[in-house]
Amino acid sequence: QVQLAQSGGGSVQAGGSVTLSCAASGYTSSYPCMGWFRQAPGKEREGVTHIYTRDGSTSYVDSVKGRFTISRDNAKNTVYLQMDSLKPEDTAIYYCAAGTLWSCSGNFRPAAFVYWGQGTQVTVSS
């Protein structure tokens, strides 16, 4: 099993920045794909970005490219999401998730990920 503990988030004005962290523990070696998802009120959970922790390769959805950066510190088993130039439409609960190798080729499908963090609110005001 894998446990994911999220930290960070909060409220920020448009154009601001927020950093989220996701610390993984447990049998993490079997789940090398780490992703970030978000869910806005009344909307489905959507993928934002993911990273294959073994080689650092990343992927982003178009709406966050150039603004969000995913990174990892394998020594700390922690993945980060740096969010810059935030927009009100980025307001959502953000979740980190852990998946297998195949999760990173699943076009950001939430069902492709196995373990989930507790979620953290990010609110961007205009």
Side-chain angles (χ1 to χ4, degrees), residues 10-13 90-92 121-125:
S11 298
V12 65
Q13 290 192 328
D90 294 317
T91 295
Q121 179 71 45
V122 174
T123 302
V124 184
S125 57

Side-chain angles (χ1 to χ4, degrees), residues 2 9 12-13 15 17 25 39 43 45 53 62 69-71 75-76 79 82 89 104-105 113 116 119 123-124:
V2 174
V12 65
Q13 290 192 328
S17 299
S25 60
Q39 188 165 17
K43 294 188 176 181
R45 190 170 299 187
T53 58
D62 287 344
T69 304
I70 189 172
S71 62
K76 296 182 179 180
V79 173
Q82 175 68 38
E89 51 264 43
C104 276
S105 59
F113 287 77
W116 292 84
T123 302
V124 184

Side-chain angles (χ1 to χ4, degrees), residues 22-83:
C22 177
S25 60
Y27 203 50
T28 58
S29 59
S30 292
Y31 301 93
C33 180
M34 295 293 294
W36 286 97
F37 293 76
R38 64 187 180 186
Q39 188 165 17
K43 294 188 176 181
E44 293 186 353
R45 190 170 299 187
E46 63 171 355
V48 174
T49 179
H50 59 60
I51 186 168
Y52 184 56
T53 58
R54 291 175 182 169
D55 64 10
S57 57
T58 60
S59 186
Y60 298 88
V61 293
D62 287 344
S63 60
V64 307
K65 283 181 181 177
R67 301 189 299 121
F68 290 12
T69 304
I70 189 172
S71 62
R72 95 288 194 200
D73 183 335
N74 286 346
K76 296 182 179 180
N77 273 343
T78 299
V79 173
Y80 305 94
L81 180 63
Q82 175 68 38
M83 302 185 289

